[in-house]
Amino acid sequence: MELDKNTKILIVGLGLLGGSYAKALTKKGFTVKAITRSQSSVDYALGEGMIEYGTTEPDPDVIGWADLTVFALYPHVFVEWIGKYGKYLKKGSIITDVTGVKSCVVYKIQDMLDGVEFIAAHPMAGREVYGVQNSDDSIFKDANYIVTPTDKNTEEAIKKCRALGHTLGFAHVSELSPEDHDLMIAYLSQLTHCIAVSLMTSSSVPGLKAYTGDSFRDLTRIARINEDMWSELFLLNKKPLISMIDEFSGELYRLRTYIADDNVEKLKEMMRTSTERRKAFDKTNMSEKD
Amino acid sequence: MELDKNTKILIVGLGLLGGSYAKALTKKGFTVKAITRSQSSVDYALGEGMIEYGTTEPDPDVIGWADLTVFALYPHVFVEWIGKYGKYLKKGSIITDVTGVKSCVVYKIQDMLDGVEFIAAHPMAGREVYGVQNSDDSIFKDANYIVTPTDKNTEEAIKKCRALGHTLGFAHVSELSPEDHDLMIAYLSQLTHCIAVSLMTSSSVPGLKAYTGDSFRDLTRIARINEDMWSELFLLNKKPLISMIDEFSGELYRLRTYIADDNVEKLKEMMRTSTERRKAFDKTNMSEKD
């Protein structure tokens, strides 16, 4: 199901993701307005025809106009914004977000609102570049869109939020509790970024740049990291992330022990498990695309 | 400099790499013969016109025919083979290899030979598939070919070995001592495989297959691993590999501590180092291709 074409959409925060939302939704014929911090982002988005109207001011008329407001801000900015301007949101309207961590934000925002429903979502799409100038709605094409409802959400809002995911062009739209989402993201996304950073900073071999193969390049591609965004996301998801780092470190230590002890049988067994899981995983991905 | 076209080449071991060598060299007009374990590999290579002659027997006439013999065997099989049949190699000829670890093999083989020079090399190319049926000489195109000479090697043999790398079509041909090679490989290749395996076996989050993003797929692509080959390579390179695992684990633990302590400044600093190193790294790769 796609979103009703008459839905008036406001995007708060025209960065890479907010801009990509604006692009996709305007293309589909929606009326999209935007509030963002810098005038140059407004000018760019207007110049590219990505939005109908944009402003750097938290104008109550613009805020109160929207049926659906998408917050594409850093988590702490999102919470501050709602604290200051949440009162201007249209009663009966829905707000959603793009925040990469959920438990720490969802309940807090829901408690702050009155007459406005917050249905949280995480679009698992991104690029290693930033800003509205790099926005690109094709990043949604093969990606996951996860809605993370709580007991406070209505069936109708959940449906609308899922419809937004489909309208944006995401390949997979699904639902997870905020807690399951955060555990999953700790493992699949945050831990991999921690590994890439640690791999990059642990280099003590001189002149190795000339010898990198594909595997090292693949593992460290994400080591070019936006430190403001990721440090905030790591700290907001501290508990699941630390437990995942510990679990991974334990497995790496197990492997190290097998190597140190010349335990070739255990070493092979661990590699077989790894191979089987990775194979099953490729199969799942393939069948999803069929 | 390319290899003299009259060089008679014998390949021992027609797997993915041996087969890819045969393909590339026959295409270039060399006479290539092969000795390998299974008749089906011989038949395949003959059928595809990859070799002029092939046998499963360690025929002294074939072994003694070659000016240059390439060993594309597992390390322990290589050592055994030289012990049994090394005496049949032509006096004054050169042998080389494709082994992924060096110190543990190079000195041993050099000590075993008499009147034959072993100049070791590591073609840093491969695929996640195996066997002569998957051989593909295009894998050399963007890859590194590293010659690892010792004090026992002559300038002439080193030159010929480098020429082989160029003839095969490698993008970069360079030299490292066996020890530097092993340290580099422990960090850039073996550690990344250890990480991928540990990441795959530490999964305890159910149903996460549906949510994987690119970063997790990139990091675990190499988790489909040939356990016989990699367990042998890990154990043969135990000391450098364990020191790299420990260095990496220390960095990951440092990152974990910053997260646990809410030390956002140190966390950002580590991410900035990672980003800078990774950027420099991309630049190096680019300028190499220019």
Side-chain angles (χ1 to χ4, degrees):
Chain A
M1 196 192 78
E2 298 224 345
L3 207 57
D4 176 355
K5 281 277 152 44
N6 297 313
T7 313
K8 294 175 203 154
I9 300 171
L10 172 66
I11 292 172
V12 181
L14 276 183
L16 176 78
L17 267 176
S20 302
Y21 270 54
K23 219 172 227 180
L25 294 168
T26 294
K27 266 191 200 169
K28 288 257 183 167
F30 289 87
T31 304
V32 179
K33 299 188 180 184
I35 297 177
T36 196
R37 206 167 37 183
S38 88
Q39 188 59 44
S40 64
S41 298
V42 170
D43 294 344
Y44 180 86
L46 283 170
E48 294 287 311
M50 290 161 59
I51 53 172
E52 199 213 51
Y53 175 81
T55 176
T56 60
E57 298 299 319
D59 180 346
D61 287 345
V62 178
I63 301 171
W65 161 85
D67 303 311
L68 174 66
T69 306
V70 178
F71 289 87
L73 302 171
Y74 278 41
H76 77 276
V77 181
F78 178 26
V79 174
E80 275 170 33
W81 200 100
I82 295 294
K84 280 191 201 161
Y85 313 115
K87 59 188 172 210
Y88 302 133
L89 290 162
K90 188 201 278 187
K91 298 295 167 201
S93 77
I94 286 176
I95 70 169
T96 187
D97 70 337
V98 304
T99 317
V101 285
K102 289 302 174 199
S103 317
C104 58
V105 169
V106 177
Y107 301 103
K108 195 181 283 177
I109 299 276
Q110 286 186 337
D111 282 347
M112 292 166 80
L113 292 169
D114 184 26
V116 173
E117 184 169 347
F118 175 38
I119 173 74
H122 181 192
M124 288 184 70
R127 297 178 62 193
E128 270 82 56
V129 287
Y130 304 93
V132 68
Q133 288 78 2
N134 288 305
S135 59
D136 173 5
D137 54 321
S138 75
I139 59 175
F140 306 143
K141 204 168 56 78
D142 294 318
N144 284 295
Y145 181 87
I146 307 172
V147 181
T148 59
T150 71
D151 290 348
K152 289 205 173 173
N153 286 113
T154 60
E155 277 311 308
E156 203 199 330
I158 298 171
K159 248 190 213 164
K160 276 192 189 162
C161 192
R162 296 184 67 116
L164 174 63
H166 288 297
T167 304
L168 289 165
F170 278 89
H172 312 292
V173 173
S174 60
E175 278 172 48
L176 279 179
S177 72
E179 292 73 22
D180 283 351
H181 168 275
D182 288 349
L183 203 60
M184 182 273 290
I185 223 68
Y187 178 58
L188 289 181
S189 166
Q190 297 188 329
L191 175 59
T192 53
H193 282 78
C194 288
I195 288 171
V197 167
S198 303
L199 197 52
M200 218 59 228
T201 61
S202 71
S203 143
S204 64
V205 183
L208 52 81
K209 282 167 198 161
Y211 300 107
T212 51
D214 287 343
S215 59
F216 192 83
R217 269 180 225 139
D218 282 354
L219 263 83
T220 57
R221 183 180 57 83
I222 52 174
R224 287 177 76 154
I225 193 167
N226 175 333
E227 73 262 20
D228 294 320
M229 185 174 82
W230 284 93
S231 61
E232 184 167 344
L233 293 175
F234 282 3
L235 294 180
L236 286 171
N237 207 31
K238 186 194 277 201
K239 217 182 130 189
L241 178 54
I242 286 183
S243 97
M244 287 301 165
I245 291 176
D246 290 345
E247 194 169 340
F248 167 77
S249 299
E251 284 299 292
L252 185 59
Y253 190 76
R254 187 158 73 91
L255 187 63
R256 182 206 189 277
T257 309
Y258 297 153
I259 295 167
D261 297 349
D262 282 311
N263 193 336
V264 67
E265 276 319 308
K266 284 285 182 186
L267 198 53
K268 285 188 188 176
E269 190 185 301
M270 196 165 167
M271 289 178 179
R272 275 193 296 269
T273 304
S274 164
T275 302
E276 273 158 33
R277 286 204 187 163
R278 190 55 171 83
K279 272 186 193 166
F281 186 94
D282 282 344
K283 264 183 227 155
T284 310
N285 285 328
M286 262 182 284
S287 66
E288 271 168 7
K289 278 180 189 168
D290 286 346
Chain B
M1 196 192 76
E2 298 226 345
L3 207 58
D4 176 356
K5 282 279 150 44
N6 297 313
T7 313
K8 294 176 203 154
I9 299 171
L10 173 65
I11 292 170
V12 181
L14 276 181
L16 175 79
L17 268 176
S20 303
Y21 269 55
K23 218 173 229 180
L25 294 168
T26 294
K27 266 190 199 169
K28 288 258 184 167
F30 290 88
T31 303
V32 180
K33 298 188 180 185
I35 298 178
T36 196
R37 207 166 41 184
S38 89
Q39 187 59 45
S40 63
S41 298
V42 171
D43 294 343
Y44 180 86
L46 285 169
E48 295 287 311
M50 290 160 58
I51 53 173
E52 199 212 51
Y53 175 81
T55 174
T56 59
E57 297 300 318
D59 180 346
D61 288 344
V62 178
I63 301 171
W65 161 85
D67 303 311
L68 173 66
T69 306
V70 178
F71 288 86
L73 301 171
Y74 278 41
H76 77 276
V77 181
F78 179 26
V79 174
E80 275 171 33
W81 200 101
I82 295 294
K84 282 190 199 160
Y85 314 115
K87 60 189 175 212
Y88 302 133
L89 289 162
K90 188 202 276 187
K91 298 296 167 200
S93 77
I94 285 175
I95 71 169
T96 187
D97 70 337
V98 303
T99 316
V101 285
K102 290 299 172 203
S103 317
C104 59
V105 170
V106 177
Y107 301 103
K108 197 181 281 176
I109 299 275
Q110 286 186 336
D111 283 345
M112 292 165 81
L113 292 169
D114 185 25
V116 173
E117 184 169 345
F118 174 38
I119 173 71
H122 181 192
M124 286 184 72
R127 296 178 61 194
E128 269 82 56
V129 289
Y130 303 93
V132 68
Q133 289 79 4
N134 288 306
S135 59
D136 172 6
D137 54 321
S138 75
I139 59 176
F140 305 144
K141 204 169 54 79
D142 295 317
N144 284 295
Y145 181 87
I146 307 171
V147 181
T148 59
T150 71
D151 291 347
K152 290 204 173 175
N153 285 112
T154 61
E155 278 310 309
E156 203 200 331
I158 297 172
K159 248 190 212 163
K160 277 192 190 163
C161 193
R162 295 184 68 114
L164 174 62
H166 288 297
T167 304
L168 289 165
F170 279 88
H172 313 290
V173 173
S174 59
E175 278 173 49
L176 279 179
S177 71
E179 292 72 22
D180 284 349
H181 168 276
D182 289 350
L183 203 60
M184 181 274 290
I185 222 68
Y187 178 58
L188 288 181
S189 165
Q190 297 188 328
L191 175 58
T192 53
H193 282 79
C194 287
I195 287 171
V197 166
S198 303
L199 197 51
M200 217 59 229
T201 62
S202 70
S203 142
S204 65
V205 183
L208 53 83
K209 282 167 198 160
Y211 300 107
T212 51
D214 285 344
S215 59
F216 191 83
R217 269 181 226 138
D218 281 353
L219 264 83
T220 56
R221 185 180 55 86
I222 52 174
R224 288 177 74 155
I225 193 167
N226 176 333
E227 74 262 21
D228 294 320
M229 185 174 83
W230 284 94
S231 61
E232 184 168 342
L233 293 176
F234 283 2
L235 294 180
L236 286 171
N237 207 32
K238 187 194 279 201
K239 218 182 128 190
L241 177 54
I242 285 182
S243 95
M244 288 301 165
I245 292 176
D246 289 346
E247 194 169 340
F248 166 78
S249 299
E251 284 299 292
L252 185 60
Y253 190 77
R254 187 158 73 91
L255 187 63
R256 181 205 188 278
T257 308
Y258 297 153
I259 296 168
D261 298 348
D262 282 311
N263 194 336
V264 66
E265 276 319 307
K266 283 285 182 188
L267 198 53
K268 283 187 188 178
E269 190 185 302
M270 194 166 170
M271 289 178 179
R272 275 192 296 269
T273 305
S274 164
T275 301
E276 274 158 32
R277 286 202 187 167
R278 190 54 170 83
K279 270 185 193 165
F281 187 94
D282 282 344
K283 264 184 228 154
T284 310
N285 285 329
M286 261 182 284
S287 65
E288 272 168 4
K289 278 179 190 170
D290 284 345

